[in-house]
């Protein structure tokens, strides 16, 4: 079954210590499917069926925060936490968390209330943040279209809380808001979120949840399946920012605001997974998007729990590196889905939900190391005095492109990406002085790949850069100090 398409939302709290929206834009997020990240006993070998509960817990997660922080992530998005339908359905169990039955209890498969409190505290002790996935659009029921036993739900325990059963017509916004996601195997009864009683129940619920677990941000599921005017009250009650799962670029304004996820990032997957694609779609896509939305306020990703993984399209390691580097250095808040750093290759749902522990949490893997370096680049740039205007709000643009490579400048950082693949032969490109932003004679270091080559710009600031199968990231030598990059 297709759970709602890819979502992401952020929130910043209005309480003193909470993260503002602007602060969320500086974070780098690691997305976790709690059931598949780490077990309490740390075991890595026991087999698990992909549609069953596999044993991941908050305790296991607490024990593996070094693995996440070691890659430079500053926030963790965990899959939905509330109690879900029990038992097996034709699609398996509710290990993913999107089939709620009781919003006042936790899903005990992942641990106790104390375990979640401890996870939040462990993150905060490291200077990291907790983002929780929340669903207000629907509940979940193991069964056949509208033959739902509503008495199982807490608190919405009779049919009066729900829209009458109907199948969604995705071309009709009203149908999207009032009809039911799900199908005749697992029903997702659609709540009457326009009802003031339901709204105040959700507002009280999220306020308590945020306070109890010291939650810093929300990822909000199925945003466009709920009327827009539901969100301001909900966000105000939550007091934190959210990133919304949205298949269109609806960014809800207000304070706190919901940022939309960047569904249109499929350009990145299309372009970098296919050595015979040209860069034109990517360049056009980026330019169109920039005209429509504030790209710096979007959550960006190439994989998540509902999308086929990039390596299911191509096993080429160089192409995977380009897709990851492009994502982590683009506008917006980068989000990496667990397993990307281990080159996991699961295809369509549920196959992209592999247990991470089968990788042995290998911190030496090529992609883990690449992600760590890219997050270091980003983090160091954000520490600069002019980070706000010079990086966070600077909209990346293509300073060079040809049929197989593209150079994107974001502030002082230039990323050069290609889709020639591992077998491709390199060539030189010339980034003009006006475009590079570097000064005449400036020294620029190539921070990926380990050799830390220094390139010197010509008198006008132009650069010749060798493009190859792997991405290239250029950073001014004068500001490398303290970055942890290239021996600094
Ligand atoms: C980010 O940079 C700051 C200082 O610039 C440093 O204190 C912090 O440890 C870095 N964080 C990560 C995750 O690298
Ligand atoms: C529904 O829930 C309310 C309390 O929230 C309870 O009083 C009532 O008995 C429940 N009804 C059913 C049919 O379970
Ligand atoms: C880059 O190209 C420009 C224009 O063709 C040229 O003037 C400049 O010398 C080139 N720069 C380098 C470093 O080769």
């Amino acid at each position: 079954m297709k759970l709602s398409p890819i979502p992401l939302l952020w929130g910043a709290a209005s309480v003193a210590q909470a993260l503002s929206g602007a602060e969320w834009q500086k974070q780098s997020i690691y997305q976790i499917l709690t059931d598949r990240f780490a077990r309490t006993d740390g075991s890595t070998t026991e087999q698990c069926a992909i549609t069953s509960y596999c044993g991941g817990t908050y305790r296991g997660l607490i024990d593996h925060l070094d693995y996440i922080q070691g890659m430079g992530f500053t926030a963790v998005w965990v899959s939905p936490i509330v109690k879900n339908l029990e038992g097996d359905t034709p699609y398996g169990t509710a290990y993913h968390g999107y089939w709620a039955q009781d919003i006042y209890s936790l899903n005990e498969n992942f641990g106790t209330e104390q375990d979640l409190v401890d996870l939040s505290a462990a993150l905060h002790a490291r200077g990291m943040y907790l983002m929780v996935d929340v669903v207000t659009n629907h509940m979940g029921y193991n069964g056949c279209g509208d033959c739902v036993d509503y008495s199982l739900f807490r608190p919405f325990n009779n049919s009066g809380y729900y829209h009458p059963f109907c199948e969604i017509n995705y071309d009709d916004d009203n149908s999207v808001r009032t009809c039911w996601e799900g199908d005749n195997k697992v029903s997702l009864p659609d709540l009457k979120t326009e009802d003031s009683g339901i709204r105040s129940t959700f507002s009280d619920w999220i306020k308590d949840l945020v306070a109890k677990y010291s939650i810093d941000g929300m990822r909000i599921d199925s945003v466009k399946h709920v009327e827009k005017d539901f969100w301001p009250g909900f966000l105000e009650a939550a007091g934190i920012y959210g990133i919304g799962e949205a298949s269109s670029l609806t960014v809800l304004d207000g304070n706190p605001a919901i940022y939309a996820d960047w569904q249109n990032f499929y350009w990145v997957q299309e372009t970098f997974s296919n050595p015979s694609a040209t860069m034109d779609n990517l360049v056009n896509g980026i330019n169109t998007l920039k005209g429509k939305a504030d790209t710096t306020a979007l959550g960006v990703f190439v994989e998540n729990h509902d999308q086929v993984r990039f390596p299911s399209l191509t096993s080429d390691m160089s192409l995977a590196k380009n897709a990851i580097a492009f994502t982590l250095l683009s506008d917006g808040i980068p989000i990496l889905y667990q397993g990307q750093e281990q080159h996991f290759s699961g295809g369509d749902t549920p196959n992209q939900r592999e247990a991470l522990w089968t990788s042995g949490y290998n911190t030496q893997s090529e992609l883990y190391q690449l992600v760590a370096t890219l997050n270091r680049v980003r983090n160091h740039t954000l520490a600069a005095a002019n980070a706000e205007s010079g990086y966070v709000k600077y909209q990346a643009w293509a300073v060079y492109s040809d049929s197989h490579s593209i150079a994107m400048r974001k502030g002082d950082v230039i990323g050069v990406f290609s889709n020639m693949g591992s077998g491709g032969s390199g060539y030189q490109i010339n980034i003009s002085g006006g475009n590079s932003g570097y000064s005449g004679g400036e020294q620029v270091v190539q921070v990926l790949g380990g050799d830390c080559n220094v390139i010197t710009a010509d008198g006008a600031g132009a650069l010749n850069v060798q493009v190859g199968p792997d991405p290239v990231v250029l950073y001014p030598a004068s500001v490398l100090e303290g970055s942890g990059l290239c021996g600094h």
Side-chain angles (χ1 to χ4, degrees):
M1 130 190 279
K2 190 150 168 60
L3 299 172
S4 32
I6 309 164
L8 302 170
L9 284 150
W10 304 91
S14 55
V15 261
Q17 268 112 332
L19 278 192
S20 66
E23 286 297 318
W24 263 112
Q25 288 179 32
K26 297 179 182 169
Q27 309 307 316
S28 184
I29 297 168
Y30 188 72
Q31 181 196 349
I32 283 181
L33 201 53
T34 304
D35 184 58
R36 305 289 159 89
F37 182 74
R39 291 174 169 144
T40 301
D41 66 4
S43 63
T44 56
T45 49
E46 194 189 323
Q47 288 304 307
C48 173
I50 196 95
T51 57
S52 303
Y53 277 102
C54 286
T57 60
Y58 301 128
R59 284 275 146 223
L61 175 47
I62 291 169
D63 291 341
H64 288 86
L65 291 179
D66 280 349
Y67 175 83
I68 300 169
Q69 196 172 25
M71 264 180 288
F73 289 102
T74 60
V76 168
W77 152 17
V78 295
S79 50
I81 62 177
V82 303
K83 186 171 177 184
N84 270 225
L85 71 78
E86 286 172 349
D88 218 2
T89 76
Y91 298 115
T93 66
Y95 65 90
H96 43 71
Y98 294 97
W99 297 339
Q101 290 203 333
D102 175 357
I103 66 170
Y104 296 126
S105 304
L106 291 188
N107 186 333
E108 289 174 359
N109 291 284
F110 309 142
T112 63
E113 294 186 356
Q114 189 60 48
D115 292 338
L116 187 53
V117 167
D118 291 349
L119 169 63
S120 181
L123 285 166
H124 293 152
R126 290 167 181 261
M128 295 171 72
Y129 300 99
L130 175 65
M131 168 170 285
V132 168
D133 200 320
V134 301
V135 187
T136 64
N137 177 62
H138 56 258
M139 304 295 269
Y141 183 78
N142 181 3
C144 46
D146 62 352
C147 73
V148 171
D149 175 2
Y150 295 95
S151 70
L152 288 178
F153 298 136
R154 189 161 167 251
F156 309 117
N157 65 359
N158 68 62
S159 64
Y161 291 107
Y162 301 85
H163 293 124
F165 173 78
C166 49
E167 279 179 41
I168 294 184
N169 168 6
Y170 282 92
D171 296 327
D172 174 355
D173 287 346
N174 187 52
S175 168
V176 167
R177 286 191 296 270
T178 57
C179 290
W180 294 20
E181 289 191 84
D183 61 15
N184 62 4
K185 296 179 181 142
V186 173
S187 298
L188 303 181
D190 196 81
L191 283 156
K192 281 185 180 164
T193 39
E194 68 277 17
D195 179 274
S196 63
I198 291 183
R199 287 186 180 189
S200 71
T201 299
F202 269 126
S203 288
D204 293 344
W205 169 76
I206 194 65
K207 186 166 183 245
D208 291 347
L209 202 72
V210 166
K212 186 165 181 179
Y213 300 110
S214 304
I215 297 167
D216 304 292
M218 297 177 286
R219 179 275 188 175
I220 305 180
D221 186 66
S222 300
V223 163
K224 72 169 187 169
H225 292 264
V226 175
E227 327 65 52
K228 259 186 163 178
D229 62 6
F230 172 88
W231 298 113
F234 183 77
L235 286 163
E236 197 189 335
I240 58 174
Y241 275 77
I243 280 196
E245 172 185 21
S247 52
S248 61
L249 284 166
T250 322
V251 178
L252 302 183
D253 292 322
N255 189 18
I258 296 183
Y259 297 157
D261 66 341
W262 193 347
Q263 293 274 3
N264 287 346
F265 230 49
Y266 67 81
W267 294 311
V268 176
Q269 191 172 83
E270 265 175 14
T271 304
F272 289 111
S273 64
N274 179 8
S276 54
T278 71
M279 289 292 153
D280 298 350
N281 278 350
L282 188 59
V283 174
N284 293 339
I286 290 165
N287 288 338
T288 308
L289 190 63
K290 282 199 319 204
K292 285 190 196 161
D294 176 4
T295 47
T296 68
L298 300 173
V300 299
F301 55 90
V302 276
E303 293 181 20
N304 73 9
H305 60 292
D306 284 338
Q307 303 272 303
V308 303
R309 287 192 185 270
F310 184 92
S312 73
L313 305 173
T314 168
S315 61
D316 189 297
M317 186 58 97
S318 291
L319 293 174
K321 287 181 184 172
N322 278 281
I324 286 177
F326 190 94
T327 312
L328 284 175
L329 297 179
S330 72
D331 291 343
I333 309 161
I335 301 162
L336 195 89
Y337 172 50
Q338 67 172 57
Q340 271 188 269
E341 73 282 10
Q342 300 294 350
H343 207 227
F344 277 8
S345 59
D348 223 341
T349 306
N351 298 312
Q352 73 283 65
R353 299 166 180 181
E354 308 95 322
L356 184 69
W357 49 80
T358 60
S359 69
Y361 304 102
N362 181 5
T363 58
Q364 298 309 310
S365 76
E366 234 176 324
L367 295 180
Y368 183 100
Q369 290 292 324
L370 174 72
V371 170
T373 303
L374 292 165
N375 269 327
R376 225 171 267 143
V377 169
R378 193 167 179 276
N379 181 53
H380 185 61
T381 306
L382 293 173
N386 69 338
E388 202 62 43
S389 58
Y391 193 81
V392 181
K393 285 291 173 194
Y394 187 104
Q395 289 193 294
W397 58 291
V399 290
Y400 174 90
S401 70
D402 63 33
S403 55
H404 290 297
S405 64
I406 183 170
M408 296 292 294
R409 172 179 170 197
K410 186 165 171 70
D412 279 349
V413 183
I414 294 182
V416 188
F417 312 98
S418 88
N419 70 348
M420 65 181 74
S422 301
S425 39
Y427 56 92
Q428 273 207 341
I429 64 167
N430 176 330
I431 301 173
S432 74
N435 282 1
S436 77
Y438 300 132
S439 48
E442 182 159 2
Q443 296 209 309
V444 184
V445 181
Q446 196 172 314
V447 297
L448 296 186
D451 50 6
C452 297
N453 275 344
V454 177
I455 304 173
T456 305
D458 73 8
L463 296 172
N464 279 330
V465 181
Q466 179 70 21
V467 183
D470 285 355
V472 170
V473 172
L474 303 169
Y475 205 80
S478 60
V479 292
L480 268 184
E481 202 47 51
S483 64
L485 296 160
C486 292
H488 288 270

